[in-house]
Amino acid sequence: EAEVAQSPRYKITEKSQAVAFWCDPISGHATLYWYRQILGQGPELLVQFQDESVVDDSQLPKDRFSAERLKGVDSTLKIQPAELGDSAMYLCASSLGKDRWTEAFFGQGTRLTVV
Amino acid sequence: QKEVEQNSGPLSVPEGAIASLNCTYSDRGSQSFFWYRQYSGKSPELIMSIYSNGDKEDGRFTAQLNKASQYVSLLIRDSQPSDSATYLCAVKRPRGSTLGRLYFGRGTQLTVWP
């Protein structure tokens, strides 16, 4: 069964360090999302890609966060420098295409702890 | 006003009962609606999608959509302890093109006790 792959599963980093997360969507999925989920809350969108283009990064803290999807396949989300408040689950999801009806499927997530 | 509102619960039902989970959304232009199940410490798993008014059934799950009332619900029949999880309601809004942004509620925690 096709899955969204994410790595690492867990990451502990010190405040002010840089950290990066990787996501490989389901093959053929053009839309890729990065979400952040704080414990007890629903996922919040950080950035949405359509192929290699960013279509929504309005909630991405651009002073410290960056995201890229250079070849329109896998993607990297970076935080530099990390802050204590960045501790959360970072979720990647993908959907088939531009059609607004298509469903989004999540990877297993990366649990980030900033100490 | 939040895009998607859910009662955070917890909702507790006995095994074999019907669990009813509710969700309201703010944008009348929303056209796609989803329910995800999330076990503690895990990522969300898609369990139902619904696009038109009425009911959609899949096994023990029934999703209901009422666009006039901006209301979505999920019924779980014959609830099992393994259904104990947080249920997330998600709504996709078109943004002037076919690309939609997916908004999530904060989830309702369901506990099914034996």
Side-chain angles (χ1 to χ4, degrees):
Chain A
E1 184 175 314
E3 291 184 342
V4 177
Q6 285 190 251
S7 67
R9 291 288 308 279
Y10 305 93
K11 180 71 177 179
I12 300 174
T13 191
E14 293 184 348
K15 188 175 64 170
S16 78
Q17 295 299 303
V19 63
F21 313 126
W22 176 80
C23 172
D24 191 12
I26 294 171
S27 178
H29 279 199
T31 304
L32 185 147
Y33 310 83
W34 282 102
Y35 282 88
R36 176 170 61 183
Q37 186 176 26
I38 295 170
L39 195 63
Q41 299 184 18
E44 292 186 318
L45 182 69
L46 292 173
V47 61
Q48 179 178 344
F49 289 92
Q50 185 64 32
D51 299 309
E52 67 277 5
S53 300
V54 173
V55 296
D56 191 339
D57 63 355
S58 56
Q59 300 302 308
L60 188 70
K62 298 181 186 64
D63 57 335
R64 297 186 301 109
F65 286 64
S66 64
E68 61 182 15
R69 193 184 184 198
L70 293 177
K71 297 183 179 179
V73 181
D74 60 337
S75 176
T76 302
L77 178 70
K78 296 179 181 177
I79 309 175
Q80 183 174 18
E83 296 181 352
L84 295 177
D86 296 331
S87 295
M89 174 83 88
Y90 289 82
L91 296 161
C92 179
S94 70
S95 64
L96 184 59
K98 300 178 181 179
D99 193 313
R100 61 191 153 197
W101 313 114
T102 58
E103 301 154 335
F105 299 93
F106 282 87
Q108 292 184 306
T110 297
R111 171 73 66 187
L112 173 67
T113 302
V114 182
V115 297
Chain B
Q1 183 183 11
K2 282 188 171 287
E3 296 284 346
V4 182
E5 298 268 13
Q6 292 182 258
N7 289 328
S8 59
L11 175 65
S12 182
V13 301
E15 184 174 356
I18 296 175
S20 178
L21 304 159
N22 305 316
C23 170
T24 58
Y25 58 95
S26 61
D27 190 337
R28 287 191 173 275
S30 302
Q31 295 187 331
S32 311
F33 307 88
F34 308 92
W35 284 99
Y36 288 81
R37 178 176 62 200
Q38 187 172 29
Y39 293 112
S40 180
K42 304 295 185 182
S43 64
E45 172 193 9
L46 180 67
I47 54 172
M48 290 288 288
S49 57
I50 187 166
Y51 306 110
S52 55
N53 279 329
D55 295 358
K56 179 181 178 182
E57 187 174 319
D58 184 0
R60 296 186 296 109
F61 298 98
T62 298
Q64 299 175 317
L65 174 60
N66 183 327
K67 289 186 178 180
S69 301
Q70 297 175 238
Y71 179 87
V72 194
S73 66
L74 179 70
L75 300 178
I76 307 175
R77 292 182 301 281
D78 188 25
S79 295
Q80 302 297 308
S82 59
D83 295 325
S84 298
T86 295
Y87 290 79
L88 298 164
C89 174
V91 173
K92 185 175 277 190
R93 289 172 50 190
R95 299 186 302 115
S97 69
T98 56
L99 299 174
R101 180 172 176 176
L102 194 59
Y103 291 88
F104 284 84
R106 64 184 302 161
T108 298
Q109 185 180 343
L110 171 67
T111 299
V112 181
W113 43 278

